[in-house]
Amino acid sequence: MLRAVFIGLSENKSLRHFAESSAMGRRMSSRFAAGLEVKDAVAAAKKLNAMGATVSIDNLGENVTNAAEARESAKLYHDMLDELSKDGLKANISLKLTHMGLDVDPALCHDLVSELVDHAVKIDNFVRIDMEGSPYTQKTLDFVHELHRIPGHSGHVGAVIQSYMRRAEADVEKLLSERIRIRLCKGAYKEPADIAFQQKSEVDANYVKLAKTLIKSGVYHGIATHDENIINELKQFAKAESIPASAFEFQMLYGVRRGLQEQLIKEGWGLRVYVPFGTEWYPYFMRRLAERPANALFIAKNMFRN
Ligand code: FAD
């Protein structure tokens, strides 16, 4: 119920405008975002690298409405790739196709993302294409398959699968048939019952089933969850199957379950932290509240603490 409320609020344009332009809103966003500028994300990546985590940096934003905005977003990612390379950071980038103009001009979006993957290839880096709501699922996967088939791109671009989607298993099989790297998550949007599991138990069971397939696949995948029970089950599974920690990585969001992040690193598991930054933080922030409404209370308390 509260999840649906927060997801509904994440799409409210007036609230978004108000929140993103107010000082108080920006203060709230710092709970889940590294800051507003490239340098803030780079500083966060440095700290996380020093802690033993690798990083994926997301320039916050989605659903741009014109080509100039899409080009601007792509430019920022090029700058980011240069910064990461210059500082020798263990960090790649994550992006959303609607931030690169998918709704405005799919051909432009294809060119912009393909150029980013070319850039990543040159500096031996990697581009993750985030997964958005279900109107974009097929388009996004088609995009990733196409990008992956461009000579030289293989291993430098990857997809995201959401375990709440009923189609997830078939999509995983297709991606694995081309050895495309996958980030597995549960899914952050509100989807109808005909295409997505609604019960947490079903989403979790599908997650574990798919994660085991990925861990055993011989391709390097990202297991993105903060669910301690699932993480424990997968650690046991990897040990029982003699799969080394270096065969895959766990992934978590910046600012979420920091203690668990540190514990995984201490135990020798690979951990990548997803670090969002930028001025367009509102929809991302509201989806984080939807995942754990108690966060709203926590943030409210901290806002008024001296
Ligand atoms: P849940 O069952 O939601 O939570 C398990 C436990 O984790 C909770 O009990 C709580 O202790 C903790 N927890 C979870 N979320 C929070 C939070 N926000 N704050 C505090 N504690 C929390 N979704 C997409 O749809 N597309 C993507 O491309 C995408 N990329 C992602 C990348 C990464 C690296 C991660 C970690 C998540 C990504 N997500 C993405 C979000 C994901 O789909 C889930 O919405 C989110 O991770 C919460 O699910 P969970 O697996 O942690 O399990």
Side-chain angles (χ1 to χ4, degrees):
M1 161 73 178
L2 268 174
R3 179 171 190 268
V5 171
F6 281 115
I7 290 184
L9 287 175
S10 78
E11 289 158 10
N12 185 306
K13 289 195 171 69
S14 319
L15 252 180
R16 176 177 177 176
H17 177 73
F18 171 73
E20 287 180 350
S21 54
S22 77
M24 192 190 217
R26 283 196 295 274
R27 221 177 116 202
M28 280 191 326
S29 73
S30 64
R31 175 70 182 84
F32 296 120
L36 301 179
E37 297 174 35
V38 169
K39 68 173 172 46
D40 300 321
V42 170
K46 278 184 187 159
K47 271 196 196 150
L48 286 159
N49 278 182
M51 203 182 107
T54 55
V55 165
S56 194
I57 297 184
D58 167 37
N59 171 22
L60 288 166
E62 45 207 79
N63 299 99
V64 297
T65 52
N66 61 62
E69 280 176 13
R71 288 201 178 89
E72 185 54 36
S73 317
K75 186 188 170 308
L76 216 130
Y77 273 114
H78 283 291
D79 294 347
M80 176 61 81
L81 282 172
D82 286 334
E83 286 292 318
L84 298 177
S85 170
K86 190 179 84 194
D87 290 346
L89 292 174
K90 290 185 186 153
N92 60 33
I93 57 170
S94 288
L95 59 84
K96 290 181 175 49
L97 292 183
T98 64
H99 199 196
M100 298 292 134
L102 183 62
D103 293 331
V104 182
D105 179 352
L108 172 71
C109 174
H110 185 280
D111 290 349
L112 293 176
V113 180
S114 189
E115 282 161 17
L116 278 167
V117 182
D118 284 342
H119 189 164
V121 169
K122 275 191 202 123
I123 59 170
D124 195 20
N125 209 318
F126 177 83
V127 180
R128 176 78 63 187
I129 312 295
D130 285 343
M131 185 55 81
E132 302 178 67
S134 57
Y136 300 104
T137 309
Q138 190 58 50
K139 288 182 201 167
T140 305
L141 291 172
D142 289 347
F143 232 94
V144 175
H145 279 283
E146 268 175 51
L147 285 166
H148 170 84
R149 287 175 197 149
I150 295 173
H153 280 191
S154 170
H156 294 277
V157 59
V160 174
I161 292 290
Q162 299 152 323
S163 74
Y164 64 17
M165 296 295 279
R166 295 181 190 275
R167 57 179 288 168
E169 187 170 5
D171 291 336
V172 161
E173 268 174 32
K174 199 157 172 245
L175 290 162
L176 284 185
S177 73
E178 295 191 42
R179 299 180 63 79
I180 295 177
R181 287 169 60 177
I182 297 171
R183 171 203 295 151
L184 181 67
C185 65
K186 291 188 189 176
Y189 299 81
K190 175 106 190 86
E191 301 293 359
D194 57 326
I195 59 167
F197 299 115
Q198 305 293 307
Q199 299 298 322
K200 179 171 162 50
S201 56
E202 291 177 300
V203 177
D204 289 358
N206 201 34
Y207 191 99
V208 171
K209 181 179 172 193
L210 297 177
K212 288 181 176 172
T213 304
L214 296 186
I215 289 174
K216 269 172 65 168
S217 70
V219 179
Y220 189 83
H221 299 295
I223 305 300
T225 182
H226 316 92
D227 191 321
E228 208 165 344
N229 292 334
I230 290 184
I231 290 172
N232 286 337
E233 182 171 349
L234 296 174
K235 288 196 291 196
Q236 290 309 321
F237 175 76
K239 283 184 193 150
E241 297 278 327
S242 306
I243 296 162
S246 58
F248 66 97
E249 65 189 23
F250 288 107
Q251 297 186 352
M252 293 193 201
L253 301 177
Y254 180 80
V256 177
R257 300 297 313 263
R258 282 177 269 214
L260 186 54
Q261 296 184 9
E262 281 165 22
Q263 186 193 322
L264 284 175
I265 294 168
K266 219 164 90 191
E267 292 170 356
W269 300 98
L271 176 75
R272 186 175 301 275
V273 179
Y274 183 97
V275 175
F277 80 100
T279 50
E280 295 175 44
W281 50 267
Y282 176 82
Y284 177 90
F285 178 81
M286 291 314 258
R287 288 197 293 272
R288 302 295 75 83
L289 297 190
E291 283 153 10
R292 190 167 174 268
N295 280 337
L297 200 63
F298 175 82
I299 287 163
K301 271 194 208 151
N302 282 297
M303 290 297 298
F304 299 108
R305 197 178 276 165
N306 285 329

